[in-house]
Each structure stands twice: as C-alpha cells, then as structure tokens.
Amino acid sequence: MVSTFSRSTSGHLARRSPSFSSPRVALPRKSWVMRSFSARVGVSLLLSLFFVISCGYVFVFPNLGQLINQRYGFSEFAGSVDGCDFFDGKWVPDNTHPHYNSSDCPFAERGFNCLANGRRDNEYLKWQWKPLHCDLPSFSAPEILEQLRGKRVVFVGDSMSRTQWESMICLLMTGVEDQKTVYEVNGNRITKQIRFLGVRFHSFNLTIEFYRSVFLVQQGKPPRHGPKRVQSTLHLDVLDEINKKWIDSDVLIFNSGQWWTPGKLFNVGAYFQVNGTLKLGMPINTAYRTALGTWASWVEAMVNTHRTQVFFRTFEPSHWGGPGRSVCKVTQYPTSETKGLNQSVFTDIISEVVSEMKVPVTILPVTSMGAFRSDAHVGKWSDNPSVPDCSHWCLPGVPDTWNELLFAYLQAKHRGSLR
C-alpha cells in the first residue's frame, strides 16, 4: 500500500559580526556601541529563529503528513478521531448485537440469512468490534438517517460490496416507522444477477445504491486472431463502462479483490489487455495494481471530492482450508490467531495506490479484523447447502461492523471532529 515521500533542503545562514576599531572616545560612546552590537545580534537571532520555523513549517510538516500516509497507507486516517484509530481493536462479546433480524428485512438475500437456512448456534452474532483506545459511537438508526437525509450513497464492487449494501439497508430500516416507504427503485428482487440495485428511503429522500463491478475495469471480447485460450479480456486501462452512474454521489464506497484469482480469470480464459495489447504473461498482482491506477485516475478526474466522500474497503479474508482450499470449516467462536489472514497483497496494493493519489480517499482496512472471524461465514447455511461458502458472511454479521465503522467515520466528519 506505500509510496516513498522525501524532500530535502539545505540552507546556510551567514551572520557577519560587526567590525569595530579601537575605541577613541569616552566610555559612554563605547557603551552605546555595545548596546548597538547587542541589538543587532538580537535581531539576527530573531530572524534566524523565524527562518528555521518557516522552513520547518514548509518542509517538515508536509512531510510529516506524507510519512503518516506512508506508514498507514491512508489518504486520510481511516476512522481516526482525535487521534484514535477505529480499526485498531479487537472483538469482544456483546449482547446488544445483532441490530436486526434478516428475516424481517426484505432486502437481505436468503443466501446470507444463516439462521433461516438452518444454523442453530447464534454465538457468532454476539460480538462487537472494540477499538483499543476509544469507543465507537452507539449505533442509532434514526440519527444516521437524519445525517444521510437527502443524500445518495453508492456501493461499487463485487458480492462482498452487495452484502455490505444489504447490511446498511437492514440496519437503517430499524429506524423507519413505516417500512412500506422503503423500496427498490425499479421494483427488482434482490439478486446477484442484477448489475444495479437501488433502495430508496422515501421519508428521508435517501437512496442507497449498488453497482456490480467485480473488477472495476472494463470486460471485453477477445481480440481477433488471438490465442484460442483467450475467451475474454480485462481492459486494465479502461474503467467499467457504467462508471458515469457512480458520479454525483455523496458517499462512494468501492471494493474489489475476490475475483482476482486464477480460477476466475485464467481458468475461464480471461486475460489482461493494456492499450489494445494482450498481456498474456502479466501476473495478477501487477494487473490489479494497473487496474487500481486506472480507478485512481478516474477518481481524480471525475469525482468532486469536495462533495463526495470516497472510500475503498480493503480485501475481506476468507477461511478456506484443506487441499486446494476446498474445505470450509466454520467455527463456533472467533479464532485467537489470524494464521496470516490479516495480510493481503491486495490490501497492500490498495494502500500504495491511495497513498499516491492527489485527492482525499479514505481506506476502510477491514482485512485484519475479518481474519479472526472464521465463525461468521455462510458455510453450509446458504440457500444452496450443497455448496459450502467460506468467503461470504452471514447477515446479520461482520458486514454490519463494516457499516458501523463507516457510520462512525461519517458521524465524526459530520461533527467536524475528524482530524
């Protein structure tokens, strides 16, 4: 996630002491000369001090901010309020969760409703993320709804993004008196096949939208006279054609990563293309970095960041095991060790790209917190129990915490307390 910032300066202050000949006057004249000398020295010292402070302000403090970016990879401190990082914390037992019942939320997919699909234990619902050095604001749906009144919130990404989108809607519906005033704008049923879904909270003039764009860049047909194994291409230098739909939002949340695997690319004949040229040997990590560079350029050129708060949520760890990562074992409780799942090359790349951007983008670093939650995956409790799932999360569950952290950040910005 990190770029190197450096700036060096060199300056030389030459202070020339006054030269005096042997005194030929009375003592009072000598005292006047010494007072004049002292005054000049004092003025010189003050000027030197002013120069040093100015240099420090110009050269040191900007570098300090850049060094923070370099260390944490954030264009802004993600969730940092008054010096407290929301994402530096741990999971603790909490009986106030969950905040909603998926069976009562018409916008939660049946495939993520683990309790309705036969899961008998519910301990996975009783955990809260606790920052180490501060407290998250208590979740209040009416308060969040008021802050989002008249706004447009847009999620862009893969099915993990859709899960967070569903979670946000279900959370906020707990603050709506008349549930019939909340509806999908096109009357569509919530399903993975649709590229656009939008739910409107009529009483609050609030729309929360989801755009399915698993790679963020444009998918295309294979080039003429290309190798037979090439069935489709990813145009790494062209953003997804639906990108115009994302502009003019008030809150814009991106994610991408789950589809950047050999199984979903090379094994199905999808290869990379840049400037019209096939890149058959390009590694996935390099392609991901190139695609995010295209995304970053688009944000800088097309998004009015004075109005739109832009977020990028990092890679969400899965908990597959066994040979070929084909075994899905869902635990009853969070694990005490991350087993390396708190690290992701995709998360690192996101940080590197964002740290180089010229406009403010806030990273939501959820990789580490998700590494402990092997208990919260869908597992065999989906709408298709014959296909285990150790990638997606149950609802209610971990995606609710992503939204609570997002809400905490938005509340802090709203209060003006975010530094």
Side-chain angles (χ1 to χ4, degrees):
M1 271 219 60
V2 187
S3 62
T4 302
F5 298 87
S6 64
R7 181 181 295 172
S8 62
T9 61
S10 62
H12 300 279
L13 292 178
R15 191 164 48 208
R16 188 176 295 175
S17 299
S19 176
F20 299 96
S21 59
S22 299
R24 296 182 181 180
V25 293
L27 185 59
R29 173 62 178 172
K30 181 178 180 180
S31 299
W32 178 86
V33 171
M34 293 302 296
R35 286 196 301 270
S36 176
F37 174 81
S38 298
R40 292 186 183 186
V41 170
V43 170
S44 298
L45 288 174
L46 287 174
L47 290 174
S48 300
L49 180 61
F50 177 78
F51 182 84
V52 170
I53 292 174
S54 299
C55 288
Y57 182 81
V58 172
F59 297 109
V60 176
F61 286 99
N63 271 0
L64 182 60
Q66 291 172 341
L67 288 172
I68 290 174
N69 291 343
Q70 180 178 341
R71 169 63 180 85
Y72 292 94
F74 304 152
S75 178
E76 292 189 10
F77 258 134
S80 177
V81 180
D82 294 332
C84 183
D85 183 1
F86 286 150
F87 294 87
D88 179 19
K90 61 182 179 179
W91 293 99
V92 297
D94 185 272
N95 288 325
T96 66
H97 285 66
H99 294 301
Y100 63 90
N101 184 335
S102 283
S103 297
D104 296 332
C105 180
F107 304 103
E109 289 180 56
R110 176 62 185 264
F112 300 146
N113 190 349
C114 297
L115 293 180
N117 293 327
R119 184 166 183 172
R120 295 185 177 181
D121 70 286
N122 64 358
E123 284 86 354
Y124 71 95
L125 298 173
K126 306 293 184 180
W127 295 89
Q128 164 72 23
W129 181 255
K130 173 67 175 68
L132 294 181
H133 305 293
C134 58
D135 293 315
L136 285 175
S138 299
F139 171 71
S140 170
E143 181 179 349
I144 298 297
L145 283 166
E146 282 299 330
Q147 291 177 4
L148 293 177
R149 182 182 290 276
K151 304 294 185 182
R152 180 177 176 237
V153 179
V154 172
F155 288 88
V156 180
D158 53 31
S159 55
M160 297 296 183
S161 183
R162 190 177 72 251
T163 308
Q164 186 178 4
W165 172 80
E166 294 175 24
S167 162
M168 178 178 287
I169 294 166
C170 293
L171 284 167
L172 294 181
M173 282 191 70
T174 62
V176 177
E177 294 183 6
D178 185 356
Q179 304 283 297
K180 294 180 181 179
T181 62
V182 183
Y183 53 88
E184 206 285 323
V185 294
N186 293 317
N188 289 320
R189 180 173 169 268
I190 308 306
T191 173
K192 65 181 70 175
Q193 281 76 32
I194 299 178
R195 291 206 73 186
F196 166 74
L197 291 163
V199 169
R200 182 166 179 78
F201 289 72
H202 181 76
S203 300
F204 295 89
N205 190 26
L206 164 66
T207 304
I208 304 177
E209 305 172 19
F210 165 70
Y211 292 87
R212 186 175 184 270
S213 181
V214 298
F215 297 110
L216 301 182
V217 292
Q218 184 66 47
Q219 296 177 259
K221 297 179 180 180
R224 292 182 179 182
H225 312 299
K228 291 184 177 180
R229 72 177 187 269
V230 180
Q231 300 298 311
S232 64
T233 55
L234 279 186
H235 297 241
L236 302 178
D237 54 342
V238 181
L239 208 65
D240 194 323
E241 61 183 357
I242 62 173
N243 68 81
K244 293 180 181 179
K245 303 287 187 180
W246 313 338
I247 305 173
D248 295 330
S249 53
D250 297 283
V251 182
L252 183 54
I253 308 106
F254 292 92
N255 94 293
S256 182
Q258 293 291 338
W259 281 64
W260 293 83
T261 65
K264 294 183 177 181
L265 288 168
F266 307 145
N267 293 359
V268 294
Y271 289 86
F272 308 123
Q273 182 172 316
V274 179
N275 293 326
T277 303
L278 276 176
K279 302 292 183 179
L280 297 178
M282 179 179 284
I284 288 178
N285 295 348
T286 302
Y288 187 77
R289 176 65 169 81
T290 304
L292 284 198
T294 299
W295 164 83
S297 297
W298 176 86
V299 171
E300 292 174 342
M302 302 300 295
V303 178
N304 178 9
T305 53
H306 295 292
R307 169 192 171 180
T308 305
Q309 297 182 61
V310 182
F311 297 85
F312 203 116
R313 182 168 47 75
T314 62
F315 187 74
E316 316 85 354
S318 58
H319 288 81
W320 295 96
R325 293 176 57 81
S326 59
V327 177
C328 178
K329 183 180 180 181
V330 176
T331 60
Q332 186 172 0
Y333 301 102
T335 57
S336 59
E337 298 179 356
T338 64
K339 299 181 180 180
L341 295 176
N342 59 323
Q343 301 293 327
S344 167
V345 65
F346 295 132
T347 293
D348 294 340
I349 292 171
I350 293 166
S351 298
E352 292 171 4
V353 171
V354 169
S355 68
E356 295 167 359
M357 294 180 68
K358 301 175 184 178
V359 298
V361 173
T362 302
I363 293 176
L364 301 175
V366 303
T367 306
S368 181
M369 68 171 61
F372 297 96
R373 297 306 308 273
S374 59
D375 60 317
H377 287 295
V378 171
K380 62 181 179 180
W381 300 286
S382 71
D383 51 354
N384 185 5
S386 64
V387 181
D389 187 348
C390 261
S391 295
H392 294 92
W393 309 90
C394 298
L395 287 181
V398 169
D400 302 325
T401 299
W402 300 343
N403 282 319
E404 287 187 77
L405 291 162
L406 176 63
F407 291 151
Y409 184 90
L410 294 174
Q411 285 178 287
K413 290 284 280 187
H414 181 77
R415 294 193 304 266
S417 61
L418 184 64
R419 297 293 182 260

